[in-house]
Amino acid sequence: MRLACWLVMFAGCCSLTAGIEPISTSIAVGMAAALTGFLASYQNVLYYFHECCRPEWISFNKTGLKYDLDTKLYGQHVAAQVILKAVTGFMKNENPKKPLVLSLHGWTGTGKNFVSQLIAENIYEKGMSSSFVHLFTATAHFPHEMHINTYKSQLQNWVKGNVTICPRSMFIFDEMDKMHPGLIDSIKPYLDFYESLDGVSYRQAIFIFLSNAGGENIVQVALDFWRDGREREEMQLKDLETALSLSVFNNRNSGFWHTGLIDKNLVDFFVPFLPLEYKHIVQCGLSEMVSKGHVPDKEVVEMMAHDLNYFPKEERVFSMQGCKVIPSRLDFYV
Ligand SMILES: *[C@@H]1O[C@H](CO)[C@@H](O)[C@H](O)[C@H]1NC(C)=O
Ligand SMILES: *[C@@H]1O[C@H](CO)[C@@H](O)[C@H](O)[C@H]1NC(C)=O
């Protein structure tokens, strides 16, 4: 893939008429024209088949992202609003002063991974399978604490290497709460307001951190709302922000602890994901049936949703597992 990009660059740059002096000018011109035509179409074919760091493969679809957030993400009105605003603002800005850094918080199964996927799909033609989108999972990529120094330099090199190849690269860090606090330190300079570092500019890049940290506090706010008899949809970012930043600051296991990422304001947005209710689980179940090629069956999905765990125990308001378990659970009911 990379070879194709180099070929394209070479074809685009090389001068075609140089070095063919002995042949008469008219033939040379004719040949050059033919060659140029051939190379131009060859170039287009390459662009078409091989992902390159070019607008053919990387362009932001705001309508698409809004549509996806409105129709495919359930129960997350605050997150949807913040994400759309943040990503649109960043992608429209031709001269951002720093990369976009988002930190998504909430319990598992509330849609953090899913939202990252939606963002990727509306920027990169190939979505999550784009070679410019990189997903790092704490337990898979950086499992052993004793190797932290190796991981640090590895991560630094990966980010630098990939941004050098394509400035519009996206890096997703899953399980931030399980990351060694020092790891993120190693890429902190890349998240900062520098014009460039060693000749590489990181200002077009996107960093997304996913974390369960702060989840408990978000749940508490949601529970208080519910106990006060207020509508879930009344909840706003400001109602959740304090709870979130307090828990991220003070939590040793947030992955951010002592990184200075927060006090230097390098995180542009902290995005809260609310605990899901029964009705959202049903929505997830119905769309899962569709994506598995079944006819959506409300009765089946409700049976499955009913058998899941909810809390508080008496009132059964919020789902414990969220939508994450649905793909496997559903198989027992279909
Ligand atoms: C953007 O997304 C919308 C909705 O998904 C889709 O209809 C449209 O074709 C997309 N536009 C481009 C340029 O891909
Ligand atoms: C880009 O990142 C991947 C990990 O996602 C890594 O394996 C690869 O070596 C990096 N590329 C460069 C050129 O550093």
Side-chain angles (χ1 to χ4, degrees):
M1 225 174 291
R2 195 137 21 109
L3 178 67
C5 287
W6 283 114
L7 269 176
V8 166
M9 278 173 62
F10 179 72
C13 298
C14 73
S15 154
L16 295 166
T17 44
I20 42 175
E21 219 40 67
I23 310 169
S24 85
T25 317
S26 65
I27 294 176
V29 169
M31 273 175 61
L35 250 174
T36 310
F38 169 72
L39 280 177
S41 58
Y42 180 60
Q43 204 169 329
N44 286 339
V45 168
L46 276 181
Y47 288 157
Y48 190 78
F49 285 111
H50 293 275
E51 189 186 30
C52 293
C53 183
R54 295 177 47 90
E56 285 91 335
W57 292 92
I58 306 175
S59 74
F60 177 52
N61 184 349
K62 182 187 174 186
T63 324
L65 182 59
K66 181 164 183 354
Y67 178 82
D68 286 350
L69 291 170
D70 286 348
T71 60
K72 299 180 185 167
L73 179 70
Y74 304 119
Q76 301 298 354
H77 67 282
V78 179
Q81 210 176 355
V82 178
I83 295 278
L84 184 66
K85 201 175 96 182
V87 176
T88 307
F90 179 72
M91 295 300 289
K92 276 199 171 156
N93 184 353
E94 286 182 3
N95 208 357
K97 294 283 178 282
K98 69 186 279 306
L100 177 65
V101 183
L102 302 175
S103 189
L104 317 188
H105 298 265
W107 275 17
T108 60
T110 48
K112 302 186 300 288
N113 279 288
F114 186 59
V115 159
S116 325
Q117 184 188 323
L118 296 182
I119 297 173
E121 283 170 0
N122 285 288
I123 296 177
Y124 302 89
E125 191 65 32
K126 296 181 79 173
M128 289 303 283
S129 45
S130 164
S131 49
F132 308 123
V133 176
H134 307 274
L135 173 65
F136 301 107
T137 309
T139 46
H141 290 92
F142 316 109
H144 305 297
E145 190 156 344
M146 60 181 174
H147 294 148
I148 178 71
N149 287 325
T150 313
Y151 296 152
K152 278 183 175 180
S153 59
Q154 213 171 33
L155 182 60
Q156 248 174 1
N157 289 334
W158 284 348
V159 172
K160 185 179 177 188
N162 282 294
V163 173
T164 307
I165 294 170
C166 188
R168 186 69 90 199
S169 287
M170 181 163 148
F171 303 91
I172 303 167
F173 295 84
D174 196 4
E175 304 180 337
M176 269 301 282
D177 32 316
K178 297 194 186 78
M179 295 265 179
H180 188 284
L183 187 61
I184 295 305
D185 259 344
S186 69
I187 59 159
K188 195 169 84 179
Y190 302 158
L191 311 181
D192 214 330
F193 290 82
Y194 299 114
E195 189 143 7
S196 73
L197 290 167
D198 293 335
V200 181
S201 169
Y202 297 86
R203 291 177 164 186
Q204 303 284 322
I206 299 171
F207 294 85
I208 301 180
F209 299 112
L210 314 182
S211 167
N212 295 346
E216 311 268 316
N217 298 42
I218 297 171
V219 165
Q220 197 51 53
V221 174
L223 211 48
D224 289 346
F225 251 74
W226 179 80
R227 292 215 161 103
D228 292 346
R230 297 168 72 184
E231 289 291 324
R232 177 190 183 92
E233 282 69 28
E234 277 179 50
M235 229 180 296
Q236 291 174 19
L237 183 61
K238 64 174 165 52
D239 298 314
L240 296 150
E241 240 170 359
T242 322
L244 199 53
S245 57
L246 276 180
S247 58
V248 175
F249 256 122
N250 299 334
N251 191 343
R252 278 169 161 269
N253 297 324
S254 75
F256 286 121
W257 180 69
H258 97 63
T259 62
L261 226 59
I262 297 169
D263 33 291
K264 284 195 78 186
N265 285 319
L266 298 186
V267 177
D268 299 297
F269 294 92
F270 289 97
V271 188
F273 281 70
L274 302 172
L276 297 179
E277 296 174 9
Y278 175 83
K279 65 179 180 205
H280 306 123
I281 300 298
V282 171
Q283 287 176 314
C284 282
L286 289 171
S287 56
E288 182 60 29
M289 279 192 92
V290 173
S291 74
K292 281 192 168 158
H294 300 295
V295 179
D297 184 336
K298 197 149 191 213
E299 218 168 291
V300 169
V301 169
E302 282 182 342
M303 202 167 8
M304 175 214 63
H306 186 81
D307 288 349
L308 292 174
N309 298 319
Y310 297 83
F311 67 93
K313 238 185 167 64
E314 288 287 298
E315 300 95 334
R316 289 172 56 91
V317 185
F318 297 118
S319 161
M320 303 270 268
Q321 301 104 324
C323 287
K324 205 168 194 165
V325 294
I326 288 181
S328 55
R329 283 301 172 92
L330 206 53
D331 292 336
F332 291 107
Y333 295 84
V334 177

